[in-house]
Amino acid sequence: MATRRRAGAALALFMTSALVVAGCSSGGDDDKPSESELYKNPVTLTWWHNANQDGPGKTYWEKVAKDFSTAHPTVKIEIEAIETNQLQRTRIPAALLSNDPPDIFMTWGGGELRDQVEADYLKDITDQVKTEVANIGSAAEIWQVDGKQYGLPFRMGIEGIWYNKDMFAQAGITAPPATFEELNAAVTKLKAINVTPIAVGAGDKWPAAHWWYNFALRDCSVDTLKKASLDKKFDDPCFVKAGQDLKAFIDTKPFQNNFIATPGQNDPTSANGLLANGKAAMELMGDWNRGTLDTVATDKAKLAKFLGWFPVPAISGSAGDPKAALGGGDGFACAKNAPAECVEFLKYIASPEVQKGYAETGTGLPVAKGAEAGIKDPALKSILEATSQASYVQLWLDTAYGSTVGTAMNDGIVGIFSGKGTPEQVVERMKAAASK
Amino acid sequence: MTSTDQTRFPAGGVSTPPAGHRPAGRASRRAETRRKWYEIVGLTTPAIAVYVMFVLVPMGFAVYYSLYRWRGVGPPTDYVGLRNYTLAFQDPIFLDALRNNAIIVFGSLLIQGPVALGIALLLNRRFRGRALFRLLVFVPYVLAEVTVGIMWKLILVEDGTFDALLKSLGLGGLVQAWLADLDVVIWTLLFILTWKYVGFAIILLLAGLSNVPHELTEAAAIDGASWWQTQRHVTLPLLGPTIRIWAFLSMIGSLQVFDVIWVTSVPAVRSLGASGTMATYMVDNGFFARLWGYGNAVAVILFVISFVAALLFQRFILRRDIEGAITRRAN
């Protein structure tokens, strides 16, 4: 009898405290937390990011969390570093489905963010982060859904071609190619001196798919691309044209042998490894490549000396904007029910001070203005310059269209690379996936 | 809510029936039966609870989710019936995965069986260093799948160790793009799987061989049977149950094989249907393409195929060994 009464009391206590908690959090969601609410109660923020490999990136996030806790002793931050694909594809979706997601976690923006917002998983931070968004500029739009801000980026950059200056000089290529005609000429010259012109990590699918994205960027108008991200129809013939251009390019045999099994990064046999160790002259890749090339290079000093970067060449007479570029970034978002301190931490990560420190790690390009001074590497500097000159930055197509259409698109593109698939099949598979 | 449930079923303690005016014999018999039931329930409940929680409930959820068009965000709401199942059987890449599974199932049985039997018979003879050989044969099986996958990936890389070995033997003409050639890669994977799992077959068969009574082989020898005849007519028939159990385990393992394929074969090659199995197809589509409902449908298909194969195997091949346990005794 006594036990039963005690259980009842415990239940009552639980219910009341749950009501209190619910009351608090709904209050916190609706209006901007007042200064008095913040940092009053001890909170623990769980933070999931993808810098799981030992290195400057991982160490830096640990320092950021520690600095924030020192400044605000009521906040404790628990970090879990998880490999990117596992984090984005399995851990975060599963955690969001449960009632216990991490408070602050990584997000790529685009289609994935839209899905998460539609399922009401994320905190609307529009009002709290106005200053940060203004400082970041148009890149912050990737983490917006219908004009509302749900996350902030910490890394953002456009992609281009990383190349070996020594090999270019040896082959007699005087200036980085500005058009595809010049790129084709460079490929021929590099073959003449027995060098693999371009390394592509087609084994991981997306490094190969990025070639198609760039042809699509050159063949489709900016309006067509913007529309496709929203309605996912892909009826414009420019998407088939992108595949045809890619096929013609592959037929000139610019890539290494057996590229279909070459991984993208993280091991010496990868496309990264081929460029980093002087076995190929070029590689198409994003701004993070500076860091990943370093991890696979046997001679880092030599790599730093020969490494250069140039934007993806233009196609003369094409419908697309020659100054448009493909890009993307990494950001963080707060879970719907995360404490208000989460948003403060998010703002701290996006602050110029923290961003400058991030830039110094060399693992990617910062997004906040005022952090540029942290960039030392000349190749990264040229990316930053090109990013600011780009007329339009199209988010990676697989991120923009969401995982389902993105995967079908990448599979179709790999089909073209293998010689088994056709340009038409890519578009057919994208359309089929959109209804799957 | 939970608290009322708890109060309805008070925990612990078997209440003894009140002693008194009932006929002693029947009461004690009834008490005995009840005690026995308490015992059965008490002892099996933990195991059943774990089984229900971690096997039956997830299976039920898989079937439920497989009927929805669901991307893993929010609760599943878009009911589509059996559409995910029809889509799977219309996808040429899934059919390729089925073919690859079939190659692995039959390839493993046809290659590992005879090889393991031969090596087991050899290792069953007395010779110097027998223990060392037995150990060496078993090593690949003890290695973690991921380790094996990465190791072979590095050995088989273009112009890698394996190609160099072939060239030094004057067999340079045989060099292939082992993991890149879409027509070759499934056979490469079959080879790696065979290398990894043949040790398990050998150990099982050695255990079976140690159960073959020495008197029988001795008697055969006295009757003038040669070593070959003894193996053929005495040892092999007595090894039957072991071979059948091994074939069963090998078949189920081959249907569900995932890790070695996942690690050794890159995503592009899998997505072209050259090397993927049902299990890798499930993960590629369920998690990477974020088709959670569809992925669950593939999981259910994989389960049904394995389950039916297991039942058929037990019904027709293992029947003699487990008479009465699963199948009814004939007549």
Side-chain angles (χ1 to χ4, degrees), chain A residues 4 7-8 11 85 88-90 93-94 97 111-112 115-116 119 121 202-205 232 257-258 260-263 267 269 402-405 407-408 411 414-415 418 420 429 433-436, chain B residues 1-3 6-7 69-75 83-84 87 91 93 96 153-154 157-158 177 179-183 266-269 271-274 281 284-285 287-292 294:
Chain A
R4 201 176 295 177
L11 179 74
N85 276 308
Q88 299 300 119
R89 320 258 187 211
T90 348
L97 272 178
E112 170 204 62
D115 281 351
Q116 290 175 352
Y121 287 153
D204 281 329
K205 301 198 286 193
K232 294 184 187 150
N257 288 333
N258 293 321
I260 209 73
T262 308
D267 99 50
T269 65
S403 305
T404 308
V405 175
T407 303
D411 286 355
V414 165
S418 75
K420 276 178 134 188
R429 290 173 85 151
S435 71
K436 240 183 187 175
Chain B
M1 215 164 77
T2 24
S3 82
Q6 275 164 1
T7 49
R69 186 174 167 237
W70 183 46
R71 302 258 180 90
V73 270
R83 182 167 174 266
N84 287 329
L87 279 178
D91 184 357
I93 306 300
D96 283 340
K153 201 173 171 174
L154 293 176
V157 77
E158 203 186 344
L179 294 168
D181 187 322
L182 302 180
D183 297 320
V266 291
V269 175
S271 77
L272 291 164
Y281 180 87
D284 274 325
N285 281 276
F287 286 125
F288 281 75
R290 230 147 47 77
L291 295 163
W292 286 31
Y294 184 70

Side-chain angles (χ1 to χ4, degrees), chain A residues 90-345:
Chain A
T90 348
R91 294 292 302 275
I92 290 175
L96 286 171
L97 272 178
S98 79
N99 290 322
D100 189 27
D103 296 303
I104 175 167
F105 51 88
M106 220 180 94
T107 161
W108 290 328
E112 170 204 62
L113 188 83
R114 178 171 286 274
D115 281 351
Q116 290 175 352
V117 168
E118 278 166 10
D120 203 20
Y121 287 153
L122 305 182
K123 209 189 249 314
D124 177 358
I125 56 174
T126 317
D127 294 332
Q128 289 103 303
V129 298
K130 282 198 171 123
T131 330
E132 285 74 17
V133 167
N135 189 42
I136 289 166
S138 66
E141 281 170 32
I142 294 173
W143 288 267
Q144 280 173 10
V145 176
D146 302 329
K148 286 187 180 145
Q149 197 75 34
Y150 291 93
L152 287 180
F154 62 89
R155 183 196 73 69
M156 171 88 200
I158 62 167
E159 78 178 340
I161 295 177
W162 298 77
Y163 74 108
N164 186 321
K165 289 186 210 159
D166 293 356
M167 284 180 175
F168 268 46
Q170 247 179 310
I173 305 161
T174 43
T179 64
F180 259 90
E181 287 79 24
E182 287 176 29
L183 182 66
N184 286 334
V187 165
T188 315
K189 282 183 183 166
L190 286 162
K191 276 197 210 162
I193 61 159
N194 264 329
V195 159
T196 301
I198 306 174
V200 61
D204 281 329
K205 301 198 286 193
W206 59 266
H210 278 224
W211 280 100
W212 188 92
Y213 303 171
N214 276 293
F215 281 112
L217 187 75
R218 297 285 175 249
D219 287 328
C220 301
S221 69
V222 170
D223 285 339
T224 310
L225 290 171
K226 279 185 177 165
K227 204 172 129 280
S229 295
L230 291 175
D231 67 12
K232 294 184 187 150
K233 286 236 167 61
F234 318 114
D235 285 326
D236 198 290
C238 71
F239 290 107
V240 175
K241 177 80 173 31
Q244 289 162 345
D245 284 355
L246 172 63
K247 201 165 164 35
F249 184 61
I250 295 169
D251 287 344
T252 68
K253 299 205 186 322
F255 303 114
Q256 81 275 19
N257 288 333
N258 293 321
F259 48 75
I260 209 73
T262 308
Q265 42 197 21
N266 293 342
D267 99 50
T269 65
S270 66
N272 254 187
L274 293 178
L275 176 65
N277 297 315
K279 289 183 180 146
M282 290 180 263
E283 189 193 10
L284 171 69
M285 200 49 74
D287 59 299
W288 65 82
N289 214 31
R290 189 64 195 88
T292 45
L293 281 172
D294 245 2
T295 57
V296 291
T298 43
D299 187 343
K300 290 186 175 58
K302 204 171 150 201
L303 170 71
K305 247 172 67 194
F306 72 61
L307 192 65
W309 185 91
F310 62 89
V312 177
I315 299 180
S316 32
S318 63
D321 184 343
K323 297 285 283 179
L326 269 160
D330 293 323
F332 291 116
C334 285
K336 177 96 181 168
N337 293 323
E341 282 83 351
C342 181
V343 186
E344 298 305 309
F345 184 52

